[in-house]
């Protein structure tokens, strides 16, 4: 009987040693005199709010692209930075360029001191509603007329022989491309006459 009481006392002592300290199952590390500190985590009481003034609607692409758009036409919308071939609406006043009858909306930029077909005198934006290409052409010509006449009058005789007005068609105009490039040209159509320097 005494052996049973001693055995129960040993079991109670082992249980108290392993579960002591308020019922925690962790032992203190060797050499420490009390329970090890546990990190305290604090979470923010509320989440940060988003800044005001952010757009609530994501912008969308134009609903209509130019009719007849095929992969070969994409080059005119997104020019390659590797060459000098650009769509006309990326030209600026004073740019000199060559034209290509097979690509009427394109221009090949050239140095004005080298032979070239034309030079941009004015770039403008066309406004309004146009249902036909003829109406757009008329409006673009009206934007360019005075500037081209004034600049042509300042040139030496025989230097410029034509004007070149580049404008969007109705399909392209509907996508937001509204630039008109007004240029003086060495001549119209294919020929050997070229401008050889910047216009005066």
């Amino acid at each position: 009987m005494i052996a049973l009481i001693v055995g129960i006392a040993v079991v109670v002592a082992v249980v108290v040693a392993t579960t002591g300290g308020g019922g925690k199952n962790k032992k203190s590390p060797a050499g420490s005199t009390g329970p090890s500190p546990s990190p305290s985590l604090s979470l923010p009481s509320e989440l940060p709010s988003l800044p005001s003034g952010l757009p609530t609607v994501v912008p969308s692409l134009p609903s209509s692209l130019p009719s007849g758009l095929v992969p070969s036409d994409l080059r005119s919308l997104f020019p390659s930075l590797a060459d000098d071939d650009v769509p006309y609406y990326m030209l600026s006043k004073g740019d000199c360029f060559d034209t290509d009858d097979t690509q009427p909306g394109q221009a090949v930029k050239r140095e004005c001191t080298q032979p070239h077909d034309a030079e941009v005198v004015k770039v403008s934006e066309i406004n309004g509603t146009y249902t036909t290409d003829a109406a757009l052409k008329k409006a673009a010509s009206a934007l360019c007329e005075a500037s081209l006449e004034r600049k042509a009058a300042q040139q030496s005789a025989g230097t410029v022989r034509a004007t070149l007005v580049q404008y969007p068609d109705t399909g392209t105009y509907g996508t937001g491309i509204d630039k008109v490039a007004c240029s003086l040209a060495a001549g119209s159509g294919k020929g050997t006459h070229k401008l050889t320097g910047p216009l005066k």
Side-chain angles (χ1 to χ4, degrees):
M1 183 76 163
I2 293 176
L4 181 62
I5 292 173
V6 171
I8 292 173
V10 169
V11 171
V12 171
V14 169
V15 171
V16 170
T18 58
T19 61
K24 292 184 183 174
N25 292 329
K26 295 183 182 177
K27 290 185 180 181
S28 298
S32 95
T33 57
S36 61
S38 60
S40 71
L41 299 175
S42 63
L43 295 174
S45 58
E46 52 183 70
L47 294 174
S49 61
L50 292 173
S52 61
L54 287 178
T56 56
V57 178
V58 177
S60 61
L61 292 173
S63 59
S64 63
L65 290 173
S67 59
L69 184 67
V70 293
S72 62
D73 293 329
L74 291 176
R75 188 167 177 233
S76 67
L77 295 175
F78 304 102
S80 166
L81 298 177
D83 58 27
D84 297 326
D85 194 6
V86 297
Y88 85 88
Y89 54 81
M90 292 189 72
L91 293 170
S92 301
K93 180 179 177 180
D95 282 347
C96 296
F97 62 96
D98 284 338
T99 60
D100 184 347
D101 292 340
T102 64
Q103 294 182 314
Q106 294 293 107
V108 182
K109 291 176 86 171
R110 299 287 183 235
E111 292 292 328
C112 291
T113 54
Q114 302 297 316
H116 55 279
D117 293 335
E119 181 179 328
V120 181
V121 171
K122 175 184 176 183
V123 174
S124 191
E125 292 179 0
I126 197 165
N127 296 307
T129 303
Y130 304 94
T131 56
T132 65
D133 290 342
L136 273 167
K137 179 180 181 180
K138 183 177 179 181
S141 296
L143 280 174
C144 293
E145 187 176 4
S147 297
L148 291 177
E149 284 180 2
R150 193 168 41 252
K151 192 70 167 179
Q154 298 170 359
Q155 308 310 308
S156 302
T159 304
V160 293
R161 301 178 182 181
T163 60
L164 177 61
V165 176
Q166 294 166 297
Y167 57 95
D169 61 17
T170 51
T172 308
Y173 184 63
T175 67
I177 295 174
D178 58 0
K179 293 284 171 75
V180 175
C182 315
S183 304
L184 289 177
S188 57
K190 295 258 183 203
T192 57
H193 187 67
K194 296 274 191 178
L195 296 175
T196 55
L199 296 174
K200 296 178 185 175

